[in-house]
Amino acid sequence: MSKKPNRRRTAVVLTAAVAAWGPAGLAAAPAARADVVDVSYACRTKIGDRSAVSPVDVTAERKGDSYALTMTFDKGVSDSPVELPKGVMTPRADLVLGGDDTGTVRVKGTPNAAAVPAFTPIRIGTLTGTYTPKREGTVTFTAGVLTVHALGMDAAVCTPGKKPAPSLSLTVTGLPGPGPAPAPEPGAALPGGELPRTGGTPVLTALGTLGGTVLLGGAGGLLWLTRRPRPARPRPARS
């Protein structure tokens, strides 16, 4: 005799499992929002200008005080008139920072693992890099210039034709605060131009004492020279 599943009991078990997983899952989730963005590239190549649209995905993983970045291209952006042998093509790209940070972050791919046939789209694959934030806040990452280095030269330089939307929005928190100020080096001036006091006789006092000793010594020498007995003159003979 087969038993019918107890739907109520199953629902209770699933609810308990979701409740147990939910807080831990939320706590482990990174404070980042990634979107796959279609980027329209205009490429300058050795065989003329090319254009292509590729979906770009950027993710970040916290590694101590830095973030490991991963940039992925779903489609090729250019082709080559000749076959590219294995290991001769390496892509790199810039991610443009926005929000609470400025500048760019370089990400780089690995050499092609297989030969690329002529006149076929070059698969960019996955590019990686490291982002080290300077301050807390929300930082966006937008696809920038993409360069395909092949056969010893930059075979294709691709620039986003339109300003694309950010592929990643990252909330940076938990950075360490500034550490204690380093102790001044011996002989270094303190704030205000005052020399540090290291104990014993102050430098200026020592110099003044030395100068006074030299001055007194000079005066003593002058006095000694002034009071030096004169040689006796011969007295005239008496008649």
Side-chain angles (χ1 to χ4, degrees):
M1 179 177 179
S2 61
K3 295 182 180 180
K4 295 183 179 181
N6 191 327
R7 296 182 178 180
R8 181 178 180 182
R9 181 179 179 183
T10 302
V12 171
V13 171
L14 290 177
T15 302
V18 171
W21 174 88
L26 293 177
R33 180 180 58 83
D35 295 323
V36 178
V37 177
D38 288 337
V39 180
S40 177
Y41 284 101
C43 301
R44 291 181 288 107
T45 75
K46 301 302 180 182
I47 58 173
D49 294 340
R50 296 287 187 272
S51 62
V53 177
S54 177
V56 174
D57 184 22
V58 179
T59 60
E61 181 181 359
R62 186 74 177 258
K63 300 287 186 180
D65 296 335
S66 300
Y67 290 85
L69 300 178
T70 301
M71 184 179 187
T72 304
F73 293 81
D74 289 344
K75 294 181 180 180
V77 296
S78 183
D79 52 15
S80 173
V82 297
E83 179 179 337
L84 298 178
K86 175 183 176 181
V88 301
M89 188 274 293
T90 304
R92 65 181 187 271
D94 290 332
L95 289 173
V96 182
L97 303 179
D100 292 327
D101 202 352
T102 58
T104 59
V105 176
R106 174 64 55 86
V107 289
K108 188 176 181 180
T110 57
N112 55 308
V116 180
F119 299 104
T120 58
I122 299 175
R123 301 289 297 182
I124 301 301
T126 300
L127 284 67
T128 59
T130 301
Y131 169 63
T132 303
K134 309 179 190 69
R135 63 182 68 88
E136 295 184 353
T138 300
V139 183
T140 59
F141 297 80
T142 305
V145 176
L146 167 68
T147 303
V148 178
H149 188 83
L151 301 175
M153 60 181 175
D154 289 344
V157 179
C158 304
T159 304
K162 299 178 181 179
K163 187 177 180 180
S167 297
L168 175 66
S169 180
L170 179 66
T171 300
V172 178
T173 59
L175 293 182
E185 297 180 1
L190 296 175
E194 180 182 355
L195 290 174
R197 302 182 182 275
T198 57
T201 304
V203 177
L204 296 180
T205 303
L207 291 177
T209 304
L210 178 60
T213 303
V214 173
L215 180 61
L216 291 178
L222 180 61
L223 182 63
W224 180 81
L225 290 175
T226 304
R227 294 184 178 182
R228 187 173 57 181
R230 298 179 180 180
R233 296 181 179 179
R235 296 183 179 179
R238 295 182 180 178
S239 55

